């Protein structure tokens, strides 16, 4: 839940600086106390690592959202 909130808050801040931004990639980690930290934010994330997962649910979700705003991927 905390990571999801971190992602949403990050997207809201990015939208202020880059109006019209449709997607971000957020690399985050947890420290020993389970506090989330942002490592980096990408404005054009690469979905290919998700295509390699056995469970294809996430890559299908990424593709579905991307199609809604006109982006297409060649995996």
């Amino acid at each position: 839940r905390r990571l999801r909130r971190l992602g949403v808050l990050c997207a809201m801040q990015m939208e202020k600086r880059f109006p019209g931004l449709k997607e971000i990639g957020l690399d985050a980690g947890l420290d020993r106390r389970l506090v989330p930290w942002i490592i980096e934010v990408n404005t054009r994330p690469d979905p290919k690592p998700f295509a390699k997962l056995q469970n294809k649910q996430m890559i299908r979700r990424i593709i579905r959202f991307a199609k809604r705003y006109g982006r297409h991927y060649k995996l």
Side-chain angles (χ1 to χ4, degrees), residues 4-48:
R4 179 181 294 267
R5 180 167 165 69
L6 179 65
V8 170
L9 291 173
C10 181
M12 291 169 61
Q13 288 298 314
M14 293 292 289
E15 176 65 22
K16 289 178 185 178
R17 179 68 173 93
F18 303 99
L21 189 64
K22 302 293 185 198
E23 81 181 316
I24 64 169
L26 180 66
D27 296 344
L30 300 173
D31 67 16
R32 289 187 173 111
R33 295 176 299 162
L34 301 180
V35 174
W37 291 82
I38 295 174
I39 298 167
E40 74 173 332
V41 179
N42 300 295
T43 57
R44 293 195 54 112
D46 184 2
K48 290 178 186 171

